[in-house]
Amino acid sequence: MSIWLWSFLLAAAIMIGFNVTVLMSHLEVKLVVSKQGKHERIWIGIKAVYGIVRWRYEIRSIQFQNFKQGFSMKSKQKEKSWAGKHKERMRNFVGPETIKKWNREFVRIAARTYGFEKWSLETLEHIEVNSYIWDTEYGTSNAAHTGMLYGLAWALIGGVTGFITQLLTFRRLPDVEVVPRFDRPEFSTRFLCIGRIRVVHAIFAVIVLIFRIKRAEGGVKQWRSIQSKA
């Protein structure tokens, strides 16, 4: 066999091996939400292809403005890939109108996507949760009120955690803790969740979503309308 044929076979083997490695790698998403006193933080990180591709979004300041404007949020976004690095700082307002707009868009998307609920549940089945931590400490100046809130806090946190465990695959048990403070007013909470999905499953989910959008009447038009507003 000629050297050119061997070179071609070697290059083909390298390309196949690289593609298989990428497809079998994981797309990891990390979410951190914390509040302690006057300090709030929301951090979202996405990592893919063994950390070569990274995206981070962080909110470090959340201030209530008024009932019309809602909350003012200062955030920053970081991206890292083969093309290089990019940073951006932003300030957004999230109020009642913003939430109503998001809700309308979501309802339109679901209505214009064939079998949207089935697609969502099938996609969520491929997501694995490796870490789930939710710690909360609170206290009031009244011991009786603190005791009552203890039950409410467990009901709320336990209900949310139970709902999530029904949708996603947990590799370890959730770590949830509620600590009451009877001696002083206090509130702090920390939520950490790390989930991942294989790249091949994520790509397949997107392909299936595209076919479902095309299958629904007016689906493509609706999605294009939402993209143009983004």
Side-chain angles (χ1 to χ4, degrees), residues 4 30 39 42 44-45 55-56 60 91 114 122 132-133 150 153 157 173 175 178 195 205 224 227:
W4 296 108
K30 181 178 181 180
H39 303 284
I42 300 176
I44 303 174
W55 180 87
R56 297 176 182 178
R60 295 302 300 256
R91 182 170 183 174
Y114 180 81
E122 290 176 348
Y132 184 98
I133 302 173
Y150 181 75
I157 296 175
L173 292 176
D175 184 2
V178 178
R224 286 177 178 175
Q227 289 179 343

Side-chain angles (χ1 to χ4, degrees), residues 10-11 35 41 60 88 93 132 146 151 161 180 200 212 224:
L10 178 60
K35 177 176 177 57
R41 184 190 183 207
R60 295 302 300 256
E88 183 180 0
F93 290 90
Y132 184 98
T146 301
T161 302
V200 62
R212 288 184 178 275
R224 286 177 178 175

Side-chain angles (χ1 to χ4, degrees), residues 113-142:
T113 303
Y114 180 81
F116 181 81
E117 182 178 356
K118 181 181 179 181
W119 171 85
S120 300
L121 294 176
E122 290 176 348
T123 303
L124 290 174
E125 288 179 354
H126 294 292
I127 299 178
E128 301 176 352
V129 178
N130 296 326
S131 182
Y132 184 98
I133 302 173
W134 194 344
D135 299 327
T136 301
E137 292 187 15
Y138 76 96
T140 67
S141 57
N142 188 299

